[in-house]
Amino acid sequence: MAELDSSPVVLITGASSGLGLAMSCEFKKRGFRVVAICRKAPEFPPDLHISADLTESASFELVLEKLKSFCNGRLDVLVNNAGIGAYETWESLGDAELRTLFELNFFAPVKLVKSLLPLLKASRGSIINVSSIAGHMPVPCMGAYCASKAAVSMFSDTLRMELMASGIAVLNVTPGRIDTGFSKRSFGTRKVPSKFGGYASPACFASAVFNAYSKKKRSLIYPRWYFIAPLFARLFRPFYEAANLREWKLR
Ligand SMILES: NC(=O)c1ccc[n+]([C@@H]2O[C@H](COP(=O)([O-])OP(=O)(O)OC[C@H]3O[C@@H](n4cnc5c(N)ncnc54)[C@H](OP(=O)(O)O)[C@@H]3O)[C@@H](O)[C@H]2O)c1
């Protein structure tokens, strides 16, 4: 029976595909009860699926209510992973798409943290926010996505200091390109340059995240070599800009 189960509880948003699905499998393998938030039913059956659209404000009350009845409100880890991309110039990106992107990528993690903080304080738990390497470097035709992920990283890095005294750890995860089909599910009409192809597997990503979480690390860049990308973009800006103009067919 769920109430008698003493195993830790992880709540993962966007668990129906890609990185969220891989992290659900990893946490399950490590003995966690997995609560999944996503609209579609995940292929890998979680211990509890909360079907909710995180761009709608009613969803946040529902999550709290369902968590309380599932495990008396026990929550050890919150993984803010659900996200959407937009491959479009600022000029062409529609207002509705821009708002949905920010609701899902930035406001939903903030709202979830705010509503679940009492549960995380009680467990002295952890928050894992999935940002992106694109939040640390300017990519044309991905400006809105870059801005939303830069906001996520800042959210993580400021929140961590604010919560230190309450014993809650905050891990900011910065993935590079990982094979999930993410770009096909994104907004926008721009074709992603083929040089941006997938390099890493979601399963390896999930195991690196679990490892960073268990060591209470502040930050994880995955794959590791991606740390060089923002540095390169900053140090060699004219070259970086010219290459991007060419790749995105902006001239
Ligand atoms: N893959 C990459 O190369 C990469 C690189 C850097 C960062 N990231 C970040 O990693 C995270 C996961 O990406 P992914 O590659 O795994 O993408 P994905 O396979 O497209 O997964 C996105 C997940 O978000 C959920 N979702 C989308 N809209 C939602 C909504 N309105 N309400 C609730 N859930 C919603 C989807 O579930 P439903 O459709 O069932 O709701 C799905 O489970 C994202 O934050 C992304 O920005 C990915």
Side-chain angles (χ1 to χ4, degrees), residues 87-88 140-141 183 188-194 196 247-249:
Y87 297 92
E88 197 56 273
C141 306
S183 57
T189 56
R190 291 277 173 163
K191 201 169 174 306
V192 184
S194 53
F196 287 37
E247 289 298 330
W248 290 95
K249 301 192 179 359

Side-chain angles (χ1 to χ4, degrees), residues 13-20 37-40 52-55 81-84 104-105 130-133 145 149 175-182 185:
T13 69
S16 61
S17 61
L19 306 185
I37 306 181
C38 38
R39 294 162 304 175
K40 298 190 285 285
D53 185 332
L54 290 171
T55 65
N81 163 75
I84 193 157
L104 184 63
N105 292 8
V130 179
S131 178
S132 169
I133 201 73
Y145 179 72
K149 292 299 187 174
R177 188 86 191 127
I178 302 174
D179 241 341
T180 63
F182 173 75
R185 289 185 281 277

Side-chain angles (χ1 to χ4, degrees), residues 197-230:
Y199 293 113
S201 89
C204 296
F205 165 84
S207 137
V209 170
F210 192 88
N211 189 36
Y213 148 73
S214 45
K215 290 181 177 159
K216 290 199 184 291
K217 293 219 167 157
R218 291 176 164 80
S219 148
L220 170 72
I221 298 175
Y222 190 88
R224 214 179 183 151
W225 62 265
Y226 263 93
F227 82 92
I228 205 82

